[in-house]
Amino acid sequence: MDWMFTTILVGAGLIALSILTSALAFRFGTPLLLVFLGIGLVAGEDGLGLVFDNAEVAYFLGSLALSVILFDSGFGTRVQTLRRAAGPAFVLATVGVLLTTILVGGAARILFDLPWLYALLMGAVISSTDAAAVFFLLRTGGVKIYKRVRSMLEVESGSNDPMAIFLTVLFIELILADTDGNLMASFVTGFGLQMGLGLVAGLLGGYLIVEIVNRVHLEEALYPILVMSCALSVFGLTASFGGSGFLAIYVAGIVAGNRSMKWASALRRHQQGMTWLAQIVMFLVLGLFVTPSQFGAVLLPALLLGVFLIVIGRPLAVLLCLLPFRYDRQTITFSAWVGLRGAVSILLGILPTVMGVEGSDIFLNVAFIMVVTSLIIQGWTIKPAARWLKLVVPSGIGPLERIELELPGNPKHELLIYRVLEDSPLISRAATLPRWARPSLVVRNGRSMQPEHAGTLRAGDFVYLFSPPEYTTLLDRLFAQNKSPDQNDKEYFGQFLINTDAQIVDLLNAYDLHAPKELAPALTVGAFMTSELGGLPVVGDRVPVGTFDLVVRGVRQGRIITEVGLALHRESRASAYVRKSQQQANSLPMKLAKLLSYKS
Amino acid sequence: MTYPIPVNSIYPDLKAANKKQVLRFLSRKAAANLSICQDMIFSLMTKFERELPSGIGDGVAIPHLRLPGVPAPFSIFARLPEPVDFDAVDNQPVDLVYFLLSPEEDGPYHLRRLSRATRLFRDASVCRRLRAAKNDNTIRDVISSPDILHHAA
């Protein structure tokens, strides 16, 4: 029985060690996955001497981990994200993978002097981008990248593994069949069958998972396990019928994650943990499995192939795929650069061995070297690349959190949380909060207080405000910069200047707008605004009239409006750097609604 | 969805000493094109300018009117080699003028066109290209190209 305890100790110990090391990795910005891989390597045959060379077990564990990861990445993909990015992402995930396979295959044929089928197999092994790596680096890598680009790359990386697996298996089968065969025919029928079956099974499976969870009453803690085991059943069932299990479980994840389901947030949390575990296990196992001392002869050509993939293969494939979508140059360049390879490629590198292809060691070793090259070169440079291409959302500006609310009896409001900057104009009272922004809470030094009691804002305060969504971009002007909004800031103050002595009726007539109520014929714009606002006007206050807003540009003696602007467009689109908190958006409105109804 | 805004006449070298001369010129050209009384346009324009000065800053002015008798949206773009004072938001003299006339019954569409025009001219690169443009066609392209509109939006 000793082996059992030793196995548990070593296995759990390695996982614990990986997790603890990850804290360090965050500090140095190392791609985390590289750390896990490294620990596997250090513990392995060439390091501390842990021998693990069972290809089937490695492949089995890797596939299991991959399906867990794919389910979770599907589960976390919003339909909106999908819609935004579906076209280009799916072209990249299919045509892009095929192109990469052919390009890398061609280069591999020259570099390794392999027969065509073997060379193409090499290309297929390394043809997909890694969901774990891409997700991790784009989301938690400390940079915020514009949503449009991020969505596309995330959906691509989540959905291209099935294609890579399909191609790999296809070439292996062709090699094993040892006939020239009809490549085109087996490609088309195989592709149709696997992907078709995978898609249908995934849609059905996802739907069923939600139905089961919503209908069955269980102990809360059992739901995550139920969901995961159902998902894995979908995977197993689809694969045993010859479909693409990986596609099925990814699609099932998307379906389940986008339908309302009991305990959704608990599920999400639990799954995040599972995904981490799956990633760590996958990389550890693969790190253990590889034996660097065998790299020898392939090292140099593999490095060259890795560089070819990064510099020519991926960029060319991306360019060809994205041409019809008319993206700007920055987006294409960045997408070409974020072609991170990861565990899937190493996993597929084992597959030829598992299926018994002759001389199959080369695939694993080359794939491993290429993945490490990609993780180091691309993983470490994503941030500078995004910054250089101006795709990074500027940091420090924008609200910390933006929560959409559906409040009873109220049309639409958003709750925004801003941190007051060191040199904010609000501190020195150079600017005042306009009244359309309703501060409701100030948190100072960990204590919450009412805005009236907080007095003048101080640096470091957190301000919670309610605001109509169309004005939230304007709030950034007050919180995100260190000066008062410029008088020339047309979005804040309006495009046109209006004479305050002009008659409001004339103004409305000029634009064929109807007065909100009966107005005295001689009422001036200034008087109209004062009465509409009620109380003391503040610079930045707005009175909506028809489709535009009248904005207070200047106030004298604290009560006389001296200048008025006319703002033609309210910004209906959200500011680009706003990040929505998905999970809280579900639960918070309820809590707030309760709170508000209690108060009134 | 963005549609191009109209640009019917282009005057890349309008010489004027002051705002009044510019408005006078624009109303004369509009009147000739639409066969409407020139004095009516001019007096409405000056009245409107008093209440809602059309200078939107950065050297751009967008005078605009809804007028009875105008059959379809009509616009004139003029470039002034010598900028003139226009009582603009930022007190900068104006050298790019986009004059927009809409049919009386065009209420909401008038506003929409105006909104599009202000968006277009808000873009510094658009203004730069308009100032550098060598001929009418370039100017027409810059103003009516949906690509730029998209960019500006």
Side-chain angles (χ1 to χ4, degrees):
Chain A
M1 287 299 272
D2 273 356
W3 63 267
M4 188 178 92
F5 301 127
T6 322
T7 313
I8 291 178
L9 173 67
V10 170
L14 283 178
I15 292 175
L17 190 67
S18 304
I19 295 172
L20 292 175
T21 324
S22 71
L24 276 177
F26 266 115
R27 287 238 161 135
F28 298 110
T30 325
L32 206 51
L33 307 172
L34 212 54
V35 174
F36 301 151
L37 208 56
I39 290 181
L41 275 182
V42 169
E45 226 174 310
D46 287 338
L48 301 176
L50 210 63
V51 181
F52 173 70
D53 53 4
N54 190 331
E56 281 182 25
V57 172
Y59 187 70
F60 169 75
L61 281 176
S63 300
L64 197 62
L66 179 60
S67 36
V68 171
I69 295 170
L70 282 177
F71 182 73
D72 184 50
S73 71
F75 202 80
T77 304
R78 305 282 94 203
V79 166
Q80 294 92 304
T81 311
L82 212 58
R83 227 177 263 146
R84 196 166 27 219
F90 287 137
V91 172
L92 280 174
T94 49
V95 182
V97 170
L98 189 63
L99 282 173
T100 312
T101 303
I102 294 170
L103 288 168
V104 175
R109 182 172 158 75
I110 297 165
L111 280 170
F112 293 97
D113 198 21
L114 287 168
W116 263 115
L117 274 180
Y118 284 76
L120 286 173
L121 174 56
M122 180 79 82
V125 161
I126 200 80
S127 61
S128 75
T129 59
D130 189 70
V134 171
F135 268 65
F136 178 77
L137 284 162
L138 291 186
R139 280 203 185 158
T140 43
V143 285
K144 280 194 217 165
I145 290 159
Y146 285 102
K147 254 189 195 164
R148 196 169 45 97
V149 187
R150 210 185 63 189
S151 305
M152 177 174 76
L153 292 170
E154 282 183 1
V155 176
E156 182 214 357
S157 69
S159 59
N160 65 7
D161 294 336
M163 180 72 178
I165 296 166
F166 164 72
L167 286 175
T168 307
V169 174
L170 177 77
F171 289 124
I172 293 180
E173 277 169 355
L174 286 175
I175 289 172
L176 292 178
D178 203 26
T179 53
D180 284 337
N182 193 339
L183 195 119
M184 214 42 218
S186 41
F187 175 77
V188 171
T189 52
F191 183 81
L193 182 75
Q194 290 206 18
M195 300 297 159
L197 210 58
L199 194 66
V200 173
L203 289 172
L204 269 175
Y207 178 78
L208 276 177
I209 289 174
V210 177
E211 287 301 305
I212 292 173
V213 167
N214 282 345
R215 277 158 201 245
V216 181
H217 298 280
L218 296 168
E219 182 84 6
E220 190 189 334
L222 288 176
Y223 285 104
I225 307 173
L226 178 69
V227 168
M228 194 42 85
S229 42
C230 285
L232 287 173
S233 311
V234 171
F235 168 78
L237 195 70
T238 315
S240 57
F241 277 101
S244 168
F246 293 104
L247 181 65
I249 200 169
Y250 178 65
V251 172
I254 294 177
V255 174
N258 281 293
R259 300 194 48 201
S260 72
M261 186 154 60
K262 266 196 298 190
W263 309 114
S265 56
L267 280 174
R268 230 170 274 274
R269 251 198 321 278
H270 183 263
Q271 246 148 248
Q272 268 167 16
M274 289 290 288
T275 304
W276 272 115
L277 181 64
Q279 280 176 29
I280 294 171
V281 167
M282 179 139 100
F283 275 86
L284 266 181
V285 166
L286 296 175
L288 274 176
F289 187 73
V290 178
T291 319
S293 58
Q294 291 172 0
F295 288 172
V298 298
L299 186 61
L300 193 65
L303 280 175
L304 285 176
L305 193 60
V307 173
F308 172 84
L309 171 71
I310 294 171
V311 181
I312 301 171
R314 163 88 181 169
L316 203 56
V318 168
L319 183 68
L320 289 173
C321 288
L322 293 188
L323 267 184
F325 297 100
R326 300 187 23 190
Y327 274 109
D328 52 284
R329 209 173 303 157
Q330 288 100 307
T331 307
I332 293 182
T333 316
F334 188 67
S335 311
W337 194 247
V338 186
L340 286 147
R341 311 289 132 161
V344 180
S345 300
I346 308 182
L347 193 64
L348 289 178
I350 304 180
L351 200 55
T353 314
V354 176
M355 290 176 76
V357 176
E358 239 174 286
S360 55
D361 280 352
I362 184 175
F363 295 106
L364 173 65
N365 290 338
V366 171
F368 187 86
I369 295 166
M370 288 174 75
V371 167
V372 172
T373 316
S374 159
L375 280 177
I376 291 179
I377 297 184
Q378 291 169 318
W380 233 315
T381 52
I382 275 193
K383 266 194 234 181
R387 234 172 249 138
W388 182 61
L389 292 166
K390 302 206 170 61
L391 291 171
V392 176
V393 174
S395 69
I397 62 176
L400 298 175
E401 203 69 71
R402 188 184 85 151
I403 298 151
E404 282 175 49
L405 302 174
E406 284 168 42
L407 299 175
N410 207 326
K412 251 197 178 164
H413 266 57
E414 285 182 351
L415 174 62
L416 295 113
I417 303 161
Y418 280 93
R419 202 173 77 89
V420 179
L421 297 180
E422 210 59 59
D423 35 12
S424 161
L426 294 166
I427 298 176
S428 53
R429 290 258 176 194
T432 327
L433 277 178
R435 68 191 63 204
W436 43 261
R438 298 184 178 83
S440 54
L441 192 68
V442 174
V443 175
R444 180 177 297 159
N445 302 328
R447 282 184 50 225
S448 69
M449 46 188 94
Q450 290 179 356
E452 309 79 89
H453 297 163
T456 312
L457 293 173
R458 297 182 200 157
D461 283 358
F462 293 91
V463 185
Y464 290 58
L465 316 113
F466 288 94
S467 155
E470 59 267 32
Y471 295 154
T472 50
T473 40
L474 302 180
L475 273 176
D476 294 342
R477 305 280 205 292
L478 291 169
F479 284 99
Q481 54 187 19
N482 52 16
K483 54 182 187 353
S484 306
D486 193 329
Q487 283 280 318
N488 288 330
D489 186 332
K490 288 169 198 163
E491 266 162 75
Y492 197 83
F493 285 118
Q495 291 77 24
F496 292 98
L497 201 62
I498 300 176
N499 189 337
T500 42
D501 297 329
Q503 286 171 13
I504 184 73
V505 182
D506 284 354
L507 183 76
L508 293 175
N509 281 342
Y511 296 106
D512 197 20
L513 293 169
H514 302 288
K517 56 180 187 225
E518 203 63 34
L519 294 171
L523 191 67
T524 63
V525 170
F528 168 74
M529 291 197 54
T530 313
S531 80
E532 283 295 301
L533 289 169
L536 302 178
V538 166
V539 172
D541 277 351
R542 287 176 168 235
V543 176
V545 180
T547 53
F548 59 69
D549 285 346
L550 298 173
V551 190
V552 177
R553 292 175 55 103
V555 175
R556 201 180 51 210
Q557 293 166 355
R559 59 198 163 80
I560 302 162
I561 298 175
T562 53
E563 259 186 65
V564 172
L566 186 153
L568 280 173
H569 1 86
R570 301 186 189 135
E571 297 297 303
S572 51
R573 71 212 150 91
S575 78
Y577 34 78
V578 155
R579 130 183 88 95
K580 246 186 266 174
S581 64
Q582 297 279 7
Q583 286 174 33
Q584 287 164 23
N586 296 326
S587 60
L588 207 80
M590 322 267 199
K591 284 184 198 156
L592 273 165
K594 249 188 223 159
L595 212 90
L596 289 174
S597 61
Y598 173 74
K599 243 186 163 176
S600 63
Chain B
M1 267 309 207
T2 42
Y3 303 97
I5 46 174
V7 50
N8 301 78
S9 311
I10 291 169
Y11 300 95
D13 269 309
L14 174 59
K15 295 193 176 55
N18 52 43
K19 180 173 174 176
K20 195 173 164 189
Q21 281 186 13
V22 175
L23 298 183
R24 176 74 69 192
F25 175 83
L26 291 173
S27 38
R28 190 170 69 238
K29 290 297 171 191
N33 267 287
L34 301 164
S35 33
I36 307 175
C37 170
Q38 178 193 332
D39 289 338
M40 182 180 81
I41 301 182
F42 181 71
S43 71
L44 277 173
M45 272 179 99
T46 34
K47 176 174 181 288
F48 205 75
E49 281 294 325
R50 266 200 308 276
E51 294 172 355
L52 202 118
S54 59
I56 62 167
D58 300 320
V60 178
I62 307 186
H64 52 278
L65 279 181
R66 246 169 6 105
L67 215 57
V70 174
F74 177 84
S75 79
I76 298 174
F77 173 79
R79 193 170 61 180
L80 317 177
E82 289 293 319
V84 301
D85 185 38
F86 232 85
D87 310 315
V89 176
D90 55 358
N91 291 322
Q92 298 283 326
V94 160
D95 64 339
L96 301 178
V97 181
Y98 181 79
F99 175 39
L100 176 67
L101 271 171
S102 291
E104 163 119 79
E105 57 280 5
D106 242 11
Y109 297 101
H110 176 57
L111 258 180
R112 225 171 281 174
R113 277 190 284 276
L114 180 62
S115 163
R116 246 176 262 143
T118 53
R119 254 184 219 281
L120 178 75
F121 285 98
R122 178 175 72 181
D123 188 333
S125 78
V126 166
C127 295
R128 202 166 46 237
R129 284 162 64 192
L130 285 174
R131 288 189 176 106
K134 293 274 189 293
N135 56 49
D136 290 9
N137 278 340
T138 320
I139 292 176
R140 198 178 298 275
D141 282 351
V142 174
I143 294 181
S144 57
S145 149
D147 250 328
I148 293 167
L149 275 179
H150 184 73
H151 180 66

